[in-house]
Amino acid sequence: MQNTQRIFFCIFAVNYNNYKMHFISQELEDYIEQHSENEPELLAKLNKETYQKILLPRMLSGHFQGRVLSMLSKLIRPVNILEIGTYTGYAALCLCEGMQEKGQLHTIDIKEELVDFQRKYFDASPWGKQIFQHLGEAIDIIPTIDVKFDLVFIDADKENYLNYWEMIVPKMNKGGIILSDNVLWSGKILEPVHPNDISTKVLLEYNQLLKDDPRVETVLLPIRDGLTVSRVL
């Protein structure tokens, strides 16, 4: 990696950590994890290796949110799952826990350097042959996946959340669930918006769209950095 790229990533990491806020105390977060389902061994290894080797490890869904994703998937029992934003594959494996026996999970990411890392853990899981990795821009890839989805998890570039939404809703089965991550954006959705802060502007519009869209019913959960659950009518 060139020096300029390293500097960019270091600055981004510092800013990300500064913006990341705790909505409840660390003690309460620890208590919640301790009184929720244990993190599976494979995911604990993935979690640890992500923090050891990968830039911006706090992007990982982590133990508590991962157990929430797992529980929702087990309640939904999806056949076809779409994930936008793979990162190191933690959330994908959580979502697979509730997938039906002949189900498929399609996951999209732009980072070529993470493909082998993801595949190592996918193949170590019971769902390796059911997980399909797509490398590239999600806007280009979504139309090429010719299935109807029962469960979608959006956790990628915030600037395109509105575009992803409009592409995904027509590809959902009735009663399907769309999960949208980071919708509280570390509380910045309540602060004055800087003119150059495109992500916050889009998230404000996105949150209102999900509230008003007659095609879905929506509840915004204060889990981690905000997780919206939208059920397609």
Side-chain angles (χ1 to χ4, degrees):
M1 185 182 291
Q2 297 178 351
N3 288 336
T4 53
Q5 289 177 298
R6 291 185 182 278
I7 292 170
F8 169 81
F9 279 120
C10 288
I11 293 171
F12 185 91
V14 169
N15 288 336
Y16 182 87
N17 288 329
N18 286 340
Y19 282 132
K20 191 73 178 175
M21 66 170 60
H22 290 283
F23 294 100
I24 60 176
S25 69
Q26 186 62 54
E27 291 78 9
L28 276 175
E29 287 190 4
D30 293 341
Y31 183 88
I32 290 167
E33 284 196 5
Q34 292 162 10
H35 292 80
S36 297
E37 194 69 18
N38 292 336
E39 185 178 38
E41 182 179 351
L42 180 64
L43 290 177
K45 290 180 180 178
L46 193 164
N47 195 333
K48 182 177 181 180
E49 188 172 0
T50 297
Y51 272 82
Q52 289 174 335
K53 299 180 179 179
I54 307 299
L55 287 167
L56 307 177
R58 294 185 69 174
M59 291 174 60
L60 192 85
S61 289
H63 177 188
F64 174 60
Q65 186 180 31
R67 291 305 86 205
V68 171
L69 296 177
S70 169
M71 182 67 75
L72 288 171
S73 184
K74 289 170 181 174
L75 292 170
I76 297 163
R77 297 291 293 143
V79 175
N80 293 312
I81 305 172
L82 172 65
E83 178 188 43
I84 305 175
T86 316
Y87 191 48
T88 56
Y90 191 101
L93 291 173
C94 294
L95 296 169
C96 282
E97 292 180 29
M99 184 170 61
Q100 293 190 34
E101 185 177 352
K102 295 183 179 180
Q104 297 181 348
L105 181 141
H106 294 266
T107 184
I108 305 170
D109 206 288
I110 61 171
K111 296 182 177 64
E112 185 175 1
E113 65 272 19
L114 293 179
V115 170
D116 291 340
F117 186 102
Q118 299 158 5
R119 180 47 60 184
K120 178 177 71 171
Y121 281 96
F122 292 161
D123 287 344
S125 78
W127 311 286
K129 294 181 179 179
Q130 297 167 265
I131 299 175
F132 298 89
Q133 295 164 283
H134 301 270
L135 181 64
E137 297 289 344
I139 286 179
D140 298 325
I141 293 169
I142 292 170
T144 70
I145 305 175
D146 189 22
V147 298
K148 287 278 192 175
F149 296 107
D150 306 296
L151 176 60
V152 173
F153 182 43
I154 305 174
D155 185 17
D157 55 315
K158 312 313 165 193
E159 293 87 347
N160 271 310
Y161 265 36
L162 292 164
N163 294 324
Y164 297 149
W165 179 262
E166 294 301 341
M167 297 179 77
I168 287 167
V169 173
K171 294 176 72 69
M172 297 295 296
N173 285 318
K174 184 176 181 180
I177 298 294
I178 304 172
L179 305 174
S180 307
D181 201 17
N182 303 120
V183 291
L184 294 180
W185 209 221
S186 297
K188 289 196 287 182
I189 42 86
L190 294 179
E191 300 171 359
V193 181
H194 190 278
N196 296 327
D197 187 354
I198 304 302
S199 295
T200 302
K201 291 179 181 178
V202 170
L203 282 172
L204 285 167
E205 186 177 350
Y206 184 78
N207 290 341
Q208 192 61 50
L209 169 64
L210 271 57
K211 173 66 169 62
D212 296 337
D213 195 325
R215 298 172 294 179
V216 299
E217 54 183 356
T218 290
V219 60
L220 197 164
L221 305 176
I223 293 173
R224 201 164 176 254
D225 196 24
L227 180 70
T228 298
V229 181
S230 302
R231 176 177 175 270
V232 177
L233 301 175

